[in-house]
Amino acid sequence: MTELRNVEADAWRFRLRVFVLGLMVLLAFGLVVARLLVLQVVRHEDLAEQAESNRTAIVPIVPNRGLIMDRNGVVLATNYSAYTLEITPSRTMDLEGTIDELAKIVDIQARDRRRFKRLREESRSFDSLPIRTRLTDEEVARFAAQRYRFTGVEIKARLFRTYPMGEVASHAIGYIGRINQREKERIEDSEDAANYRGTDYIGKLGVEQSFESTLHGQTGFERMETSAGGHAVRRLNSHPAMPGNTVMLSLDIKLQKLIEDMFGERRGALVALDPRNGEVLALVSKPTFDPNLFVEGIDQENWQALNESINKPLLNRALRGTYPPGSTYKPFMALAALELKKRSPTQVYNDPGFFNYGGRSFRSHEGGLGGVDMHRAIQYSSNTYFYSLAVDMGVDAIHDFMKPLGFGQITGIDLGGEVRGVLPSMEWKRNAYKRPELKRWYSGETVSLGIGQGYNSFTMLQLAVAEATLANGGTRHRPHLVKAVKDQVSGQVREVQQPPGENLGYNPRNVAIVNNALMAVNQAGTGRRVFLGAPYTSAGKTGTAQAVSLGQNVKYNARLLEEHQRDHSLFAAFAPVEDPKVAVAVIVENAGFGAAAAAPIVRRVFDYWLLGQYPSEQDLAAVAKGQASAPVGVPRRADEISVTPEP
């Protein structure tokens, strides 16, 4: 029997299938349209930017770093262009094998390998690192001919920083070095991240570090069209880099080199200031180092030699070396006595050669000085007079008077790394020690403060600032090394504004009493032999500071002590007295009496600055050996002396 089909049912099912299929087609079409709307409308800008990014590449243009010059226009830091051979470790299968093969083409020394290893430890694997710098044209040509053999190796033209004066003023100028991982993270988190794209170097020390933003410049860019393989096809547009500005220092590099030469092989520090405005004329720390060693990453051998040297050449003694000021502290004690009415200038005290206090005997001049007033106490450096004064004043009164002068304080100089030192007080001692018995201030500890010993510990910068303040009548200026900035594009020179000096409010009569006594030091006191025949008036104070403590009954004998245990030689002075133009504080470590080692250096500084004289070769050699007093030989004209190296 034949089954009859239900035509109506079949038709309904067919229509249903057509409807469902049509609905699915419509839905699919809707999805396509919706997606097109998203791609073409909603995400148009984002996708267009991605497409453009795939087609183009932004290449940063690193700016030329600004120059550093001294006050007379002598270039202290500059740049030159050279080729480097660089390896990207992440793109190299066999790094050591690659270096070995490269060494057959270009000269790669063991120190180059050590430096490369150190750079790898401080960098990421995808950073391009130099294995050899300053390639010759011949070496560039040899590598170019075999470039195809070395994946991840390329030659780059780079600007190199150089310091023409070498070791001279290296602590002040500083140096640049490759940006390490910590510095990269700091830059990436800062607003300057875009400005450091493509930059591999940054200031590490001195002016190079403190004025990094001024010296760095503004990074430019080139937008390049690239092929599918990532190779540049053509330049679409560009924005040139803006070179860094020139930093002009108040430093006189000829004076700086003279002072460093006068130190010879001895250790120490010297700071020379203009007391009228706080300009730093010289900032010396000896021994010094060659900043050129650090530019491309110092090798292990040189690093160990510098870092492990007993003479600590990397220590900036002018800013970070702290010392007892010795007798150079006495003039400030005398001024405190006058200002606080603890002494009159005519009061006479007996100096028998010792001072007894609390069952102890404190040494003074052997045989004593007899009756001394304030003038004679400063002129002949009576310890007894200032022992007694310190006890009468007390530690906190001394602290409160010395603090505004800058002792034990951050001076605010435009260099990083400055330390405070120690200006003792009862509160300081309570905070400095943990054991209860050591927190207490004992009255006997005050005695030695009067002669610049005890807990007193200051930098030469602090002593120079105080000396300059005394010289100008009591106005304290902030010391500064940078005088002006020159725009490299416009050529405009802009003076760096400094805060006005702070008048400490001293009685001019009291300042004159102290300064007259300091003038007597150089005319008829401990500095008379050094300043014999000087055609200008000067005021100064010699100082001898203990490097190690000796027992009360032990007589000091330098010949019986190790070199590093001998007394330090100090001198603080200014000139000319009637119109001070230069103030100096200097220490020669372990060199003994202040008039023997430190004062002769200052005499030549004054002769240079005030008279335009440069010591004779004979005189310079004598000063460097600590065998000079007044100048010998015929001085040379400073303007005829050249200290810049031959090009």
Side-chain angles (χ1 to χ4, degrees), residues 67-69 207 211 214-215 245-249 482 484-486:
L67 309 182
I68 300 176
M69 295 181 174
V207 172
F211 286 80
T214 303
L215 292 163
N245 293 326
T246 293
V247 172
M248 307 170 77
L249 307 184
V482 175
V485 173
K486 180 180 179 181

Side-chain angles (χ1 to χ4, degrees), residues 258-328:
L258 169 61
I259 296 167
E260 292 186 13
D261 288 344
M262 287 192 290
F263 266 90
E265 299 300 316
R266 299 173 296 180
R267 301 177 301 277
L270 180 147
V271 178
L273 301 176
D274 186 332
R276 298 169 296 183
N277 50 33
E279 288 183 359
V280 178
L281 309 178
L283 192 145
V284 174
S285 176
K286 286 285 287 185
T288 183
F289 62 91
D290 185 356
N292 292 296
L293 294 172
F294 290 87
V295 174
E296 286 306 303
I298 189 169
D299 62 76
Q300 191 66 25
E301 184 179 347
N302 280 314
W303 172 249
Q304 283 185 333
L306 291 172
N307 196 44
E308 298 176 6
S309 170
I310 192 174
N311 292 323
K312 301 185 185 303
L314 297 178
L315 172 66
N316 187 341
R317 286 169 161 82
L319 269 64
R320 299 184 61 79
T322 58
Y323 310 88
S327 293
T328 62

Side-chain angles (χ1 to χ4, degrees), residues 616-627:
S616 66
E617 292 284 359
Q618 176 189 2
D619 190 45
L620 195 56
V623 176
K625 294 177 182 177
Q627 299 172 353

Side-chain angles (χ1 to χ4, degrees), residues 70 76 164-170 251-264 281-284 286 288 601 605 608 614-615 617 620 636 641-645:
D70 86 333
L76 307 178
M165 296 298 296
E167 295 187 357
V168 180
S170 58
L251 202 74
D252 185 317
I253 200 63
K254 189 179 292 186
L255 174 62
Q256 178 87 15
K257 186 176 187 307
L258 169 61
I259 296 167
E260 292 186 13
D261 288 344
M262 287 192 290
F263 266 90
L281 309 178
L283 192 145
V284 174
K286 286 285 287 185
T288 183
I601 295 176
V605 171
Y608 174 94
Y614 207 89
E617 292 284 359
L620 195 56
R636 296 168 284 178
I641 301 295
S642 176
V643 297
T644 54

